[in-house]
């Protein structure tokens, strides 16, 4: 049996299997979008699922713009939805 | 400063095979991988910290992986200073530059703190793999539309099912494991929409028969499609996706023999909550172009690295293996990785088995013939622009529409992909054109014209191969600083 961890998404408690990604945990909880786009305000969630497209950006424990498909869940983790925040340098 | 004989980038089939082979020939190897554990996209599997008895469920060539993984772990803990592997997991190379007689790789952690900011190595085997190629479709930005590889990653690594009623669409043999994987996990797959027609295979039976294991796989998939009653519809495409805040239904259409949308055939919409798209694969070329290696356009119109029959690029000390030399699947990638390691070992003065080299070269030649036949049987259909609308999103990051790209061409006179990108901003967002690059390059040209290296190479060249923080940029020492 796999271990369960507890986390919150916008304050709502969800559970996940230890070792899952944040994106998988949200998917299993029936949550399919967690940010809105800058221009059109459209909902986005997982797309490429492997760290390439950056559609699934989410705030993890206060750290913005983390790829939900790559970050593993951790017990007590706080996830927050939101828009894209421009804080990183890009090529 | 860390010194290695060889740095291998990517721990998928090609990279794992390269790292293990090189270390077994006495080289000191750094294996850098973005994943938290080795395997790459092909062998993505549940977290090894929480072992499960069904670890290999849904996998192919799994015993090849467990063999490579066991050898890797043995070489990680080897007492000798030579013939060792240091595995640097969870890190991406954001910049590579020449350093003395070799290369310096600048690393950044995928999440959390960067453990090792820089690796210096005398030689480099680049095995960056690739990702699903995408084409825009009206509504494809709705949640519930995913890359086929992303759906597969959720299944293989996390046992998560991305939807309950799915359509798997695009072209190529990869649609089969995604559809059957979903069905085995309990989802209903209402159709596989394959744009190609399998008659393409029959025309080149010699090439298709070059790799016998592929024929066995096809038989297995046929049985699974029958078991789960999954309709396999050829010359069929998803032409639009409907829904307000997520996918609710898709429209489908039929293609004629030339790959154009038939207007005389009307098919009913499919009610689905998941669309998995894959139009073949796009190899990751940013590190290959960053080291200055030359590229070419492959049969499938992907930009790939030029390599000789030892996997050497035209940059001394830089080798490439796997999808970045041409999309061809895991079996070919394993062979290329092994050959690249033998070449690097030989070039470093170590004895290698000439018989092994010849065996691998023959296997790779067979694999390439098979891959070319596969690409010819599964082209991007000629009519893929037939079902786009002016308001269809092309670039998901910058939300650039087809209409805006057409305006840049028509009113502002942009005639190449780079100028269109500067004017209408497709490919300027977070993913840097990795998702829309192929489509944007095609849209910048007259309909039906084939892409050339000069269309694709500027798009693959990215100043930074991964997003990095300003802090990382400000503190990173470079070779030109003379810092060590």
């Amino acid at each position: 049996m796999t271990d369960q961890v507890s986390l919150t998404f916008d304050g709502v408690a969800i559970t996940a299997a230890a070792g899952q990604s944040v994106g998988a945990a949200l998917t299993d909880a029936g949550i399919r979008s967690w940010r809105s786009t800058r221009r059109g305000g459209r909902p986005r969630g997982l797309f490429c699922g492997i760290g390439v497209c950056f559609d699934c950006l989410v705030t993890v424990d206060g750290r913005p713009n983390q790829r939900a498909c790559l970050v593993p869940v951790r017990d007590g983790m706080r996830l927050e939805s939101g828009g894209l925040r421009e804080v990183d340098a890009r090529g | 400063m860390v010194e290695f004989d060889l740095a291998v980038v990517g721990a998928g089939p090609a990279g794992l095979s390269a790292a293990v082979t090189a270390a077994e020939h006495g080289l000191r190897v750094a294996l850098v991988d973005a994943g938290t554990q080795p395997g790459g996209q092909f062998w993505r599997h549940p977290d090894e910290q929480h072992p499960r008895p069904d670890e290999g469920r849904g996998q192919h060539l799994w015993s090849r992986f467990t063999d490579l993984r066991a050898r890797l772990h043995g070489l990680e803990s080897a007492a000798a200073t030579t013939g060792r592997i240091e595995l640097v997991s969870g890190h991406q190379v954001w910049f590579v530059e020449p350093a003395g007689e070799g290369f310096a790789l600048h690393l950044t952690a995928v999440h959390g703190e960067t453990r090792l900011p820089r690796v210096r190595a005398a030689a480099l085997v680049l095995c960056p793999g690739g990702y699903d190629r995408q084409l825009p479709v009206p509504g494809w930005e709705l949640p519930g539309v995913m890359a086929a590889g992303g759906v597969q990653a959720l299944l293989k690594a996390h046992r998560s099912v991305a939807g309950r009623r799915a359509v798997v669409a695009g072209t190529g043999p990869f649609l089969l494991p995604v559809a059957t994987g979903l069905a085995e996990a309990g989802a209903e797959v209402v159709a596989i929409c394959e744009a190609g027609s399998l008659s393409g295979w029959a025309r080149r039976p010699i090439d298709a028969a070059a790799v016998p294991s592929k024929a066995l796989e096809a038989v297995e998939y046929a049985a699974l499609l029958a078991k789960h009653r999954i309709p396999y519809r050829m010359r069929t495409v998803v032409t639009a996706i409907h829904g307000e805040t997520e996918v609710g239904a898709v429209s489908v259409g039929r293609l004629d023999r030339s790959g154009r949308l038939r207007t005389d055939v009307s098919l009913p919409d499919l009610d689905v909550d998941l669309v998995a798209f894959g139009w073949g694969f796009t190899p990751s070329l940013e590190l290959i172009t960053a080291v200055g290696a030359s590229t070419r356009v492959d049969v499938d119109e992907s930009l790939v690295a030029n390599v000789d029959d030892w996997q050497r690029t035209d940059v001394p000390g830089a080798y490439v293996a796997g999808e970045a030399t041409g999309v061809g699947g895991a079996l070919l990638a394993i062979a290329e990785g092994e050959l690249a390691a033998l070449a690097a070992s030989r070039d470093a003065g170590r004895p290698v088995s000439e018989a092994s080299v010849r065996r691998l070269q023959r296997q790779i030649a067979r694999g390439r013939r098979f891959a070319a036949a596969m690409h010819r049987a599964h082209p991007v259909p000629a009519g893929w622009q037939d079902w786009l609308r002016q308001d269809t999103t092309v670039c998901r990051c910058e939300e650039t529409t087809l209409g805006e790209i057409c305006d840049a061409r028509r009113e502002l006179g942009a005639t190449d992909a780079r100028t269109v990108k500067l004017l209408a901003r497709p490919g300027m967002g977070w993913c840097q054109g990795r998702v829309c690059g192929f489509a944007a390059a095609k849209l910048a040209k007259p309909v039906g014209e084939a892409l050339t290296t000069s269309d694709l190479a500027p798009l693959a060249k990215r100043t930074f191969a991964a997003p990095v923080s300003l802090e990382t940029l400000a503190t990173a020492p470079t070779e030109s600083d003379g810092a060590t």
Side-chain angles (χ1 to χ4, degrees):
Chain A
M1 192 54 215
T2 50
D3 304 328
Q4 293 287 310
V5 298
S6 303
L7 49 163
T8 61
F9 171 70
D10 286 343
V12 178
I14 61 173
T15 58
Q20 279 192 314
S21 68
V22 164
L26 291 168
T27 300
D28 286 353
I31 300 161
R32 305 188 95 182
S33 61
W34 43 85
R35 76 170 177 95
S36 50
T37 58
R38 262 181 321 179
R39 201 173 157 195
R42 302 293 297 154
R44 292 285 172 88
L46 290 177
F47 178 68
C48 83
I50 59 170
V52 173
C53 77
F54 295 84
D55 251 5
C56 67
L57 296 178
V58 66
T59 300
V60 179
D61 290 333
R63 194 172 175 153
N65 301 328
Q66 302 298 297
R67 285 170 280 181
C69 64
L70 296 184
V71 179
V73 293
R74 197 182 40 70
D75 204 43
M77 190 177 255
R78 283 179 300 112
L79 307 174
E80 290 162 273
S81 64
L84 190 76
R85 281 174 245 178
E86 298 284 342
V87 296
D88 281 344
R90 286 181 274 143
Chain B
M1 195 61 213
V2 189
E3 298 283 351
F4 292 91
D5 299 318
L6 184 68
V8 177
V9 181
L16 261 184
S17 162
V20 165
T21 304
E24 286 171 352
H25 281 77
L27 299 191
R28 191 159 178 244
V29 178
L31 175 56
V32 182
D33 187 51
T36 49
Q37 56 194 24
Q41 305 309 334
F42 185 73
W43 287 317
R44 215 171 240 270
H45 58 284
D47 188 348
E48 293 170 6
Q49 303 301 310
H50 304 276
R52 344 181 19 133
D54 63 346
E55 186 189 48
R57 195 172 82 199
Q59 299 282 353
H60 288 92
L61 305 171
W62 186 242
S63 63
R64 298 293 299 268
F65 172 67
T66 52
D67 168 62
L68 286 167
R69 179 171 63 181
R71 287 154 71 193
L72 165 69
H73 290 332
L75 290 158
E76 272 187 284
S77 50
T81 51
T82 59
R84 244 178 134 247
I85 297 178
E86 177 157 348
L87 175 63
V88 189
S89 298
H91 283 62
Q92 284 178 293
V93 179
W94 63 270
F95 193 57
V96 57
E97 60 181 333
E101 294 291 289
F103 304 89
L105 306 178
H106 295 260
L107 311 184
T108 182
V110 170
H111 59 89
E113 299 310 313
T114 298
R115 183 162 60 82
L116 190 62
R118 202 153 84 127
V119 164
R120 206 150 84 164
L124 198 54
V125 180
L126 298 171
C127 310
Y131 42 87
D132 302 88
R133 178 154 68 187
Q134 295 298 335
L135 295 176
V137 183
W140 72 309
E141 66 277 25
L142 281 168
V145 179
M146 286 186 67
V151 171
Q152 183 78 330
L154 279 176
L155 284 171
K156 289 208 286 198
H158 309 291
R159 305 296 190 235
S160 293
V161 191
R164 281 190 286 274
R165 263 176 76 83
V167 60
V168 180
T171 193
F174 183 56
L175 303 182
L176 294 167
V178 176
T180 55
L182 279 168
E184 293 276 290
E188 184 186 351
V189 180
V190 300
I192 297 174
C193 295
E194 163 61 61
S197 63
L198 294 194
S199 62
W201 282 107
R203 259 182 268 129
R204 301 186 67 91
I206 295 165
D207 296 336
V211 182
S213 64
K214 298 286 180 186
L216 287 177
E217 270 180 37
V219 172
E220 284 167 31
Y221 285 130
L224 281 170
L225 295 187
K227 176 185 162 194
H228 294 290
R229 300 173 190 279
I230 303 173
Y232 186 76
R233 300 192 184 172
M234 285 179 275
R235 285 194 190 136
T236 306
V237 290
V238 168
T239 53
I241 297 148
H242 313 290
E244 281 301 313
T245 55
E246 61 175 65
V247 176
V250 297
S251 296
V252 290
R254 184 69 40 83
L255 300 180
D256 66 18
R257 295 178 74 87
S258 61
R260 303 300 302 256
L261 188 64
R262 284 176 62 171
T263 49
D264 59 327
V265 179
S266 170
L267 301 170
D269 285 3
L270 303 173
D271 290 333
V272 292
D273 64 0
L274 175 68
V275 187
F277 274 128
W279 294 98
F281 293 90
T282 296
S284 297
L285 262 285
E286 38 280 271
L287 293 177
I288 284 107
T289 56
V291 298
S294 70
T295 54
R296 65 184 175 85
V297 176
D298 202 10
V299 185
D300 63 346
E301 285 190 280
S302 286
L303 190 71
V304 299
N306 275 320
V307 290
D308 68 8
D309 55 6
W310 289 82
Q311 305 301 126
R312 294 188 193 102
T313 67
D314 41 18
V315 174
Y319 310 77
V320 180
E323 307 298 56
T325 68
V327 173
L331 209 54
L332 180 57
I334 295 169
E336 289 189 7
E338 192 178 342
L339 181 59
L342 291 180
S345 302
R346 187 171 179 262
D347 294 346
R350 313 266 169 173
V352 302
S353 154
E354 296 296 328
S356 297
V357 168
R358 283 193 298 276
R359 171 182 57 80
L360 289 165
Q361 286 173 333
R362 280 196 301 272
Q363 191 188 338
I364 290 164
R366 268 201 310 278
R368 282 275 152 245
R369 283 200 298 278
F370 174 83
M374 179 190 73
H375 294 317
R376 286 190 195 99
H378 295 282
V380 166
W384 70 274
Q385 298 176 34
D386 293 354
W387 48 89
L388 304 189
R389 302 188 309 236
Q390 289 295 297
D391 65 352
T392 300
T393 300
V394 174
C395 169
R396 301 170 61 92
C397 299
E398 293 295 307
E399 301 176 271
T400 309
T401 62
L402 176 66
E404 288 164 333
I405 289 176
C406 293
D407 286 350
R409 281 194 60 188
R410 199 172 38 231
E411 287 165 29
L412 302 171
T415 54
D416 64 277
R418 204 173 155 73
T419 311
V420 168
K421 179 173 161 178
L422 290 171
L423 293 171
R425 299 189 58 81
M428 298 282 265
W430 274 84
C431 93
Q432 290 285 288
R434 287 175 176 89
V435 176
C436 73
F438 175 81
K442 292 293 264 187
L443 290 168
K445 301 192 73 136
V447 173
E449 229 174 73
L451 296 179
T452 64
T453 311
S454 58
D455 294 317
L456 291 171
L459 302 179
K461 207 172 174 86
R462 299 180 174 101
T463 314
F464 304 131
V468 289
S469 69
L470 289 171
E471 188 191 355
T472 305
L473 272 182
T475 54
T478 65
E479 289 304 314
S480 50
D481 291 340
T484 52

